[in-house]
Amino acid sequence: MSDAIRAETVFIGDEQIQAYRARPVDETPVPGVVVIHHLPGYDEATKEMVRKFAVNGYSAICPNLYWREAPDASPDDASAFVRGQGGIPDEQIIKDVATAAAALRALDNANGKVGVIGHCSGGRQALLVSTAVDLNAAVDCYGAFALEAPPTGFPLKVTSIADRLGDVRCPVLGLFGDDDKFPTPEEVARLAGLMAEHGKSFEQHSYAGAGHAFFSVDRPAYRPEAAVDGWQRIFAFFNQHLGG
C-alpha cells in the first residue's frame, strides 16, 4: 500500500459544507473517520489530525461546523462568533456529521465503515452523534458537558445528553485526564455507569497528570506520554471496529 496521501478542502452534501479531507492515494479499500473539531474551531491543529489518519490508512474528513455562521472567517474569529451565540445546535451537529459520513462512504476506495472522533466540545458531539447516526465506532476525547450543564457564564448553551445514551449505536472509546475539570473524573465515572446500565460498549481510560486538551501539541496542556498512549489506543480501537 502506498504511503502517499491527498489532502484538500472540499464541499460536501446538498448544502456544500466546507470540509477538510485527507485520504490515501491508493485503490485499496479503507475505512473512514469523521473528525469533529474542538471549540476553537476548524483550525490547523485539527487539519493535522485529519492528515494523521490518512497517513495511517484512513480516509478522514473534518466538516467546518462554523461554516454557515461565519463563512470565510479565520478559525479564531469564527469560534468567537459562534461562542457568542452559545454554540452550534445539537441537531445541526448530527446533520453535518451524517453528511460527512455519507461523503466518506461515497469515496471510490471506501470499505463502508466509518467512525467519528472529537476532542473537547467535539468529544461530547462524537458521543451525541453516536446516538443518531449509523457509525461503526466513536471516540470521545475529554468531551465536556455530556452530562453536566456548563457553569454560569460559560460561552456554550448545551444540555445533558444523558437521556440519549440508551440510543448509542456503536462501541465508544473514551479518553480523559484525571486533572480535567470539564469533565471531572466523577463525571467520567457517571458516564461509564450510565453506559453500562444501557448495555453499551464503553472502553475508557484516564491519565494521571493530564488535564483538558492533553492531545493539543500547540498548547501548554499537551502531555506527550498521555497523547502517545492515547493515539495508540485510538488506532487499536478503530482498527478493531473499522477494519483499518
Side-chain angles (χ1 to χ4, degrees):
M1 183 174 179
S2 170
D3 63 357
I5 68 168
R6 177 174 179 174
E8 60 192 330
T9 298
V10 295
F11 294 86
I12 59 174
D14 293 340
E15 292 184 85
Q16 290 293 280
I17 303 164
Q18 184 188 51
Y20 186 73
R21 185 183 69 199
R23 57 185 295 200
V25 181
D26 195 291
E27 295 182 358
T28 303
V30 298
V33 176
V34 179
V35 178
I36 304 178
H37 62 69
H38 54 175
L39 187 61
Y42 177 78
D43 58 7
E44 184 54 38
T46 303
K47 291 179 179 180
E48 179 58 33
M49 289 185 182
V50 174
R51 293 191 292 270
K52 185 177 181 72
F53 278 110
V55 168
N56 282 275
Y58 296 79
S59 292
I61 193 166
C62 175
N64 183 355
L65 303 177
Y66 302 162
W67 176 245
R68 296 176 190 81
E69 288 74 15
D72 301 321
S74 70
D76 286 346
D77 289 346
S79 178
F81 181 78
V82 169
R83 287 198 306 269
Q85 294 189 321
I88 303 296
D90 283 349
E91 296 311 312
Q92 187 61 60
I93 300 293
I94 290 170
K95 182 178 178 182
D96 287 353
V97 171
T99 296
L104 288 170
R105 289 193 172 107
L107 293 174
D108 53 10
N109 65 338
N111 77 351
K113 294 185 177 181
V114 175
V116 64
I117 185 171
H119 299 71
C120 183
S121 60
R124 174 190 178 275
Q125 291 160 352
L127 187 59
L128 168 73
V129 300
S130 77
T131 71
V133 180
D134 287 329
L135 297 164
N136 301 99
V139 179
D140 167 7
C141 297
Y142 39 81
F145 314 122
L147 303 182
E148 306 287 346
T152 301
F154 197 86
L156 272 185
K157 297 175 182 176
V158 295
T159 58
S160 170
I161 58 173
D163 61 347
R164 298 188 186 229
L165 296 181
D167 297 326
V168 168
R169 303 183 184 187
C170 63
V172 178
L173 169 66
L175 299 173
F176 307 96
D178 284 349
D179 295 343
D180 204 339
K181 293 181 172 57
F182 303 112
T184 63
E186 292 76 19
E187 184 176 349
V188 172
R190 276 187 58 211
L191 175 59
L194 288 169
M195 293 287 277
E197 285 179 20
H198 289 297
K200 304 302 178 181
S201 174
F202 183 59
E203 175 187 340
Q204 64 98 7
H205 186 78
S206 294
Y207 294 94
H212 201 70
F214 63 80
F215 276 102
S216 298
V217 297
D218 55 349
R219 295 183 173 198
Y222 180 53
R223 295 294 180 269
E225 186 174 346
V228 168
D229 184 81
W231 276 114
Q232 291 173 346
R233 291 174 186 271
I234 289 165
F235 283 117
F237 182 75
F238 278 154
N239 287 347
Q240 176 184 357
H241 296 290
L242 305 182

